[in-house]
Amino acid sequence: RPRAQAGEGCARMADFSGGSMSSGGGSMAGMGADLGTLDEPVTETIMRDLRMVGNKMLCVLNPRKANMQTLKNWDLWGPLVLCLTLATLLSWFAPYEQKSLVFASVFVIVCCGATVVTVNALLLGGNISFFQSVCVLGYCIFPLNIASVICLIGGPLIWRLAVVAVCFFWSTSASLGFMGELVPTNRRALAVYPLFLFYTSIGWLILIAARTSPYS
């Protein structure tokens, strides 16, 4: 009798484990379906991210024909790459003892400036998330990256001033095209002023760095 009861107990345990395994398999299958792109090749993931970054840079270069929904899908890879590129370019021709200081200054100004502009827009009632704003502001320094390359190559002071001025207005207009739609109309002037200071400070750093370039 005890053996029979033990046999019945083992059978029940087998049935229970079998049922739990089948249900677990189903949940795992569902989870696998929800994981989406985790099982795709790494190269395909990298290429998709690169295409995404490239599309957002094109939106900044041609803001009038840009799809603002593209920039609303925020990421921080592009802004980080652009910030590091700008810091590297400006510190490249700096005096040896000032290279680390220039790199750190550019990085801090870009990061802190984007944060301040974003907080200001949120306090003004802007309908935007923190990371969306940081993403847009970071991508909009792309024209100033181009200006840094041109200015560091060399040329007269007037030429460098003209290049930085054009790229400054390019960056500002691109960011305003996005930020202006999300800030209340009667408060847009208060949102524009920090943007102006943010990109002005970056343009000023480019001009200062260009003075120390051996090609200037």
Side-chain angles (χ1 to χ4, degrees):
R1 182 62 179 177
R3 291 182 179 178
Q5 290 178 348
E8 291 177 0
C10 290
R12 290 174 182 173
M13 291 178 64
D15 293 339
F16 178 77
S17 61
S20 63
M21 287 297 290
S22 61
S23 62
S27 63
M28 289 298 291
M31 186 182 297
D34 294 334
L35 289 179
T37 59
L38 288 181
D39 57 345
E40 71 179 4
V42 177
T43 54
E44 185 175 343
T45 303
I46 294 175
M47 292 305 299
R48 187 182 68 253
D49 291 342
L50 289 177
R51 286 192 297 268
M52 176 187 64
V53 171
N55 289 334
K56 291 179 180 178
M57 288 184 180
L58 291 177
C59 289
V60 172
L61 291 178
N62 193 5
R64 293 185 178 181
K65 297 183 179 180
N67 181 8
M68 290 304 169
Q69 187 61 40
T70 303
L71 289 175
K72 286 183 179 179
N73 298 326
W74 62 270
D75 72 276
L76 298 181
W77 286 113
L80 178 62
V81 170
L82 291 174
C83 178
L84 292 176
T85 301
L86 181 63
T88 302
L89 286 171
L90 297 187
S91 63
W92 186 264
F93 296 113
Y96 179 78
E97 64 276 4
Q98 297 181 3
K99 287 183 181 293
S100 58
L101 177 62
V102 172
F103 184 92
S105 299
V106 174
F107 190 84
V108 170
I109 288 174
V110 172
C111 294
C112 293
T115 302
V116 170
V117 173
T118 299
V119 172
N120 178 70
L122 292 174
L123 292 176
L124 292 175
N127 184 21
I128 186 174
S129 72
F130 179 85
F131 290 110
Q132 277 182 340
S133 177
V134 172
C135 173
V136 172
L137 296 172
Y139 274 106
C140 287
I141 67 172
F142 181 47
L144 289 170
N145 279 43
I146 299 175
S148 66
V149 174
I150 297 175
C151 290
L152 290 174
I153 290 175
L157 178 60
I158 300 299
W159 163 251
R160 285 176 283 170
L161 285 172
V163 170
V164 172
V166 170
C167 292
F168 162 76
F169 285 110
W170 200 345
S171 295
T172 304
S173 62
S175 60
L176 285 177
F178 180 80
M179 301 288 288
E181 295 182 357
L182 302 174
V183 177
T185 306
N186 59 341
R187 297 180 178 178
R188 286 183 182 176
L190 296 175
V192 171
Y193 181 66
L195 278 174
F196 180 84
L197 291 180
F198 176 56
Y199 292 116
T200 299
S201 61
I202 297 176
W204 185 251
L205 287 176
I206 293 173
L207 290 175
I208 293 175
R211 291 183 58 188
T212 62
S213 172
Y215 304 108
S216 60

